[in-house]
Amino acid sequence: MARKDRLARIRNLGIIAHIDAGKTTTTERMLFYTGVSHRLGEVDEGSTTTDWMDQERERGITITSAAITVEWRGHQLNLIDTPGHVDFTAEVERSLRVLDGVVVVLCGRGGVEPQSEMVWRQAARYRVPRLIFINKMDRVGADFERVLEQIRDRLGAVPLPLTIPIGAESRLAGVVDLLGMRALRWDAESRGAQFEAGPIPGEMAEIAGRARRQLLELVAAEDEGLLETFLASGDLEAADLRRGIRRGTLEQHFVPVLAGAALRNMGVQPLLDAVVDYLPAPDDVPPARGVHPQTGEPELRPADPREPVCALVFKTYTMSGEGGRGRVNFVRVYSGTLREGATLLNPRLGESERVARVYRAHADKKRRLEEVCAGDICIVAGLKHSRTGDTLADPAHPVSLEAMRFPEPVVMAALEAREAGGEEKLELALAHLSADDPTFRAAWDEDTGQRIMKGMGELHLEVLEERLVREFGLQVRVGKPQVTYRETITLAARAEGRFARATGGREHYGHAIIGVAPEPRGGGIVFANGVGPEVIPPEYLPAIEEVIRTGADSGIRYGYPITDVRATLLGGSFHETHSSEMAYRSAALTAFREACRHAGPILLEPIMMLEIVCPADAVGTVHQQLAARHGRVLGAEVQGDTQILRAGAPLSRMFGYATDLRSATQGRGSFTMIFDRYDEVEGGTGP
C-alpha cells in the first residue's frame, strides 16, 4: 500500500511551448508558489532558475532542458522546462520520451503557433496526456475563444476549459473556476501567492453557466454512471467531476484548458492543482516495453521498485570550466530501485556501467540521494560510456528499451581552431558536445580538408560556438552557415558487386546483387532481404545491411547523405570456405552505390515552414520578398491591423531574411521558422 501510494504521488511532467509563449515564466511561478525558490525569477532580468546557463540568461531563451523537483499538495512533481526554439527540438524530443504528462503553454495573443503544433505532434507521438495553459491573457489582442478554436482546428484536440478569464488585456482581473463556480482573484501585494475566491461577476454569469454546462456534458460522456447522474440531476458532484476529467485526460478524449497571465502572477495555482488532479502517475501509464538483447523476445517493466532495475538515459551533459568538470546523465527509472554503487548492463554496448552517485536534480544544482525508486527521475554520475537513448538494466535480467530518434541537422559550417596546437583540445570538446547533443555532428570533409560542424539552425551553431569558447576555453573560427542537402533516387535500378581476392593471408569471397527503389519522403534507408539462406547465409545479412546504411552517408553525385531509398538484396552467391563479412561488405557497397548511380539521382533541400506576423499595410511587400526567395504563401489570418502569413520556403534562400523583414515592416514584423520536409531542389541540380 505504501509503495502504491508513493507512486500515485509522483508526476513526471514537462513544460513545452512555442518560443515567447511564457513557458519559463510559468515555470518560475510554479517554483515560487511551491516554495522551491524564494524570489520570482524573471526572463528579462536574467534571474530565472531553470534558465541557468549564461547564454540563456543573456539571450532570454531556453537552450537546454532543465529538471527540477517541487512539491504541491503532498505530491512530488518532477518538472522539466524545455526550449521553445526549433533549433533545440532535440531537448523536447528526449524529454517527452520519459515524461508521463505535459503542460502545453500557448500565448493568449499568438495562439497555436508553428512550434506549438510541432511540440504537440511530438507529445502525441509518445501518447503523452496534456494540459493546456493559455498564458498572457493580459496581452493586447489576447482572445481566449479564438485560441480554443485554434486548438480544435490546428491541433485536432477537444478543449475542455476548467477556468475562463475574467476580462482580457489590461482589464484581466482573474479567472472563473468552472468546477467550483467561483471567481479567483490574485493579490498583487503577495506577488500572487495569495488569492481569494468570491462570487462570479454578474456580467460573467451567463458565459460561465454556458461553459459549465459544456464541461459537464463532455465529462459525463466518459462514464455511464456519470451520464446517468447528470441526466437525472443536471449536475455532478465535485469528486465525480474530477474523476471524469482525469479519466478523459488520461485516455486523451479531451484536453483540460486553463487561463492566466504568469507574468502578472495569475492562474498558476489552479494549473498546479490540475497537474496533480489530472496528469498521470507512473503507475497510470503502461509498463515500459523493450526486448531481450539476446533473444529479441518482448519484455515488460512495470513501475515497481521490487522488479529488476530498468532505466533509460534521456540526456547527458558535460560540465567544463569553473562550474565544475565531468559528465552527468539524466535517467528515468522505469522499474526496480537504482542505488549508489550498483553495477548495471548497457545492452547496446554489452558492457557494465557503475553508478557512482545518484542525485535529485535542481536545474544546475543537485542533491545527493542513496537510491531512486521506479517511476522517478534523477541524475547519475559515474557512467563512462552510456549516451542519450541507452538502457541501463539489471545484468541478470537484461532488457533494451526502444532507442530515441532525432531529426538530422539541416545547417553546417566550417570550424577550425585559431590557436596553434588547439586542434586536439577542439577534437575533445567536440566529442563531448556531440555526446551531449544528438542533433549536433562534427566530422572531417575529405574533399575540402575542413572540419564541418552540423546543427539544426544558425542559432544552434552559434550557441555551440559560444560553448566552445566559454566552457572549454577555446578560440575558434567558424565559417558562414550553409545548408545540408540530401540525395535520393527517382527510379528503380539494380547492380552487382563481387569481391574475390586474397588479402590478409587468406582468400575472401563475396557476391551480392542489390536493387534500389525510391521510398516516400521521410522514409530514410530501408533494407529488405529477398534471398534464401541457400543463396547467402543469414550470418552475413547484418554486415550487408550495415554497410548499405553507412555507405548512404557519402552520397551518390554530390557527396551528401542518401535518403528515402529502399535497398533489397536480390541475389548473390557464397563460397563454402572463402566467404567472409569483409568480402560481402565490399560487394554489397559496390552494388548499392552502382545501383543508385543508375536510378536517376537528384538533390533534396530542406523546406521550412514559416509564420510571419506583419502589419496589414506591409503584406504586399512581404509577399514579394518571399517570392524572390522562392517561397510560397499557404494561408493568411487577420488579427486586427495585423496579418499572420503561413508560408513554405527553401532554407537555402532564408539566410538574412530577418533583416529584410524588419526593413519591409519598419521593425514591426517578426517570423518563426521550423523544418518541414526535404524536397527536390529546383531543376535537381547542385547547390
Side-chain angles (χ1 to χ4, degrees), residues 592-613:
F592 173 69
R593 297 187 63 78
E594 187 65 21
C596 286
R597 277 192 283 270
H598 290 87
I602 59 170
L603 197 64
L604 302 176
E605 65 178 335
I607 305 297
M608 312 303 285
M609 186 63 65
L610 290 86
E611 184 171 275
I612 305 164
V613 180

Side-chain angles (χ1 to χ4, degrees), residues 487-516:
E487 297 184 48
T488 192
I489 60 175
T490 57
L491 306 171
R494 59 190 287 167
E496 187 173 4
R498 191 185 300 269
F499 185 94
R501 70 182 67 161
T503 180
R506 59 161 289 194
E507 294 286 336
H508 292 270
Y509 179 84
H511 174 216
I513 301 171
I514 303 291
V516 296

Side-chain angles (χ1 to χ4, degrees), residues 415-613:
L415 172 71
E416 63 183 27
R418 287 179 180 270
E419 305 169 312
E423 287 295 328
E424 189 174 335
K425 287 176 63 180
L426 177 59
E427 194 75 34
L428 183 62
L430 291 174
H432 283 307
L433 293 179
S434 297
D436 292 349
D437 186 347
T439 58
F440 172 62
R441 307 276 195 281
W444 282 99
D445 185 325
E446 298 296 338
D447 294 330
T448 64
Q450 292 178 302
R451 180 186 280 104
I452 301 296
M453 59 188 299
K454 299 180 181 180
M456 298 304 298
E458 291 180 87
L459 178 60
H460 189 198
L461 295 185
E462 192 178 313
V463 166
L464 289 165
E465 179 187 354
E466 287 186 17
R467 285 194 66 187
L468 289 171
V469 174
R470 295 185 181 198
E471 298 176 30
F472 294 91
L474 293 165
Q475 295 299 316
V476 296
R477 183 181 293 109
V478 178
K480 184 179 178 182
Q482 299 176 329
V483 171
T484 60
Y485 293 85
R486 297 284 185 273
E487 297 184 48
T488 192
I489 60 175
T490 57
L491 306 171
R494 59 190 287 167
E496 187 173 4
R498 191 185 300 269
F499 185 94
R501 70 182 67 161
T503 180
R506 59 161 289 194
E507 294 286 336
H508 292 270
Y509 179 84
H511 174 216
I513 301 171
I514 303 291
V516 296
E519 274 284 295
R521 290 288 178 267
I525 299 294
V526 178
F527 175 77
N529 175 34
V531 303
E534 71 282 357
V535 179
I536 296 177
E539 60 262 31
Y540 297 119
L541 297 181
I544 292 173
E545 178 178 358
E546 182 185 354
V547 79
I548 286 173
R549 293 189 181 280
T550 56
D553 289 340
S554 55
I556 310 164
R557 180 180 294 173
Y558 302 104
Y560 294 106
I562 304 169
T563 189
D564 304 340
V565 172
R566 174 175 289 271
T568 305
L569 179 60
L570 299 175
S573 60
F574 78 101
H575 191 282
E576 290 284 355
T577 56
H578 296 159
S579 285
S580 66
E581 275 195 10
M582 184 196 77
Y584 277 111
R585 285 176 184 273
S586 178
L589 182 60
T590 298
F592 173 69
R593 297 187 63 78
E594 187 65 21
C596 286
R597 277 192 283 270
H598 290 87
I602 59 170
L603 197 64
L604 302 176
E605 65 178 335
I607 305 297
M608 312 303 285
M609 186 63 65
L610 290 86
E611 184 171 275
I612 305 164
V613 180

Side-chain angles (χ1 to χ4, degrees), residues 100-122:
D100 300 325
V102 158
V103 172
V104 181
V105 180
L106 301 179
C107 174
R109 181 178 185 275
V112 177
E113 299 172 273
Q115 182 71 355
S116 311
E117 295 182 55
M118 185 173 186
V119 296
W120 186 271
R121 288 196 300 269
Q122 287 174 302

